[in-house]
Amino acid sequence: MDWDGAVNAWHVAGGVYRMGRREWLTETGWQQAYDDGIRTVVDLRNAAEARRRDTDPVVSDAAWHGMAVLAAPTEEPGHPRFTELCGPYLNDPAYYLDNSRIFPEKLVGVFRALAAGAERGDVILHCAAGRDRSGMVAAMVQDLAGDPDQDIAEGYRRAARGINERYRTHGPPHDRERYLDDAELAPLLERRGAAVVEFVRALDARAYLLRHGLSTGELDAVLSLCGAGVAR
């Protein structure tokens, strides 16, 4: 998506989109997103991450007119089991299934937010880089939409390439991330794209969400948003 200032912004399925930090969008970018039908932003970050930085564009309150922002973090910072398995944050699809097992209520909360947003229009979901937390949820959305394995894998690879390019031009945000050249990036993305597919096929998003408390009505709203058939 070419919304002004947006980083790593992509269409996922139906009325669902993904991107990196929302604070990167300019006022023009928000207007463009609104004109494209976006009415809800689902923020997958933890509360401490949701803040403007000095390098972010200044955006007036008017830019948010008609938009709802819903907080729906996918993890609990500092959770001992999560930290043991994944480290300080999710940065590899190999750990998506662990995240889903540790925090089922968090992922159900994300899809409740998507269901609520579906009543208003299209939805953007975002984390910080737009790669792994967004990638985990986007893969579940693609699974619900009935996308084939190759599209799910490519969805992750495209986003990983997108934020890698951001690191090339602007530098990484901290020393746990770095720009990778093609020789290093290509085999990594081949492996990680396959891991995303393994995750959704092991999970079965519909069954998982219903088993952990998403109502059939909420699932129907998400399926409609994703462009898929209802659950009944």
Side-chain angles (χ1 to χ4, degrees):
M1 308 307 297
D2 59 359
W3 305 317
D4 188 53
V7 174
N8 214 11
W10 305 95
H11 178 240
V12 177
V16 181
Y17 299 78
R18 63 185 288 186
M19 66 180 183
R21 299 173 63 247
R22 69 176 184 270
E23 292 86 0
W24 280 323
L25 265 71
T26 65
E27 289 207 14
T28 298
W30 283 115
Q31 184 61 57
Q32 291 168 333
Y34 185 89
D35 291 344
D36 282 343
I38 301 299
R39 296 295 180 271
T40 302
V41 179
V42 177
D43 188 345
L44 305 176
R45 300 173 298 177
N46 299 302
E49 299 175 81
R51 57 184 178 82
R52 183 183 175 276
R53 301 172 185 167
D54 291 342
T55 53
D56 294 331
V58 176
V59 175
S60 70
D61 291 343
W64 293 95
H65 180 70
M67 293 272 196
V69 179
L70 306 178
T74 62
E75 64 198 32
E76 179 185 319
H79 186 285
R81 184 60 176 157
F82 178 81
T83 301
E84 176 189 356
L85 292 169
C86 308
Y89 63 93
L90 190 66
N91 68 345
D92 189 326
Y95 303 119
Y96 288 4
L97 199 58
D98 293 317
N99 195 124
S100 73
R101 288 168 175 160
I102 297 168
F103 303 118
E105 75 288 351
K106 299 284 191 186
L107 286 179
V108 168
V110 171
F111 282 83
R112 284 208 170 104
L114 288 172
E119 299 178 2
R120 298 170 48 84
D122 292 350
V123 178
I124 304 173
L125 56 91
H126 80 90
C127 53
R131 184 187 59 200
D132 283 295
R133 285 173 289 188
S134 297
M136 177 174 59
V137 176
M140 293 174 69
V141 167
Q142 288 184 273
D143 183 34
L144 293 173
D147 284 2
D149 290 359
Q150 62 267 27
D151 289 355
I152 294 172
E154 184 54 28
Y156 176 85
R157 292 172 183 145
R158 187 173 55 192
R161 292 188 200 101
I163 198 61
N164 189 60
E165 178 62 14
R166 171 78 178 186
Y167 295 162
R168 183 185 70 81
T169 58
H170 290 72
H174 48 71
D175 60 9
R176 291 183 62 86
E177 298 285 347
R178 62 187 177 89
Y179 169 72
L180 303 177
D181 63 24
D182 287 344
E184 190 172 3
L185 185 65
L188 183 71
L189 293 190
E190 187 65 27
R191 182 172 70 253
R192 290 187 174 181
V196 174
V197 173
E198 291 173 8
F199 158 67
V200 291
R201 298 310 176 219
L203 186 74
D204 184 348
R206 287 194 191 207
Y208 171 87
L209 292 168
L210 290 172
R211 184 168 67 252
H212 291 289
L214 195 73
S215 72
T216 302
E218 289 168 329
L219 180 58
D220 284 348
V222 173
L223 292 172
S224 178
L225 179 67
C226 297
V230 298
R232 297 184 182 88

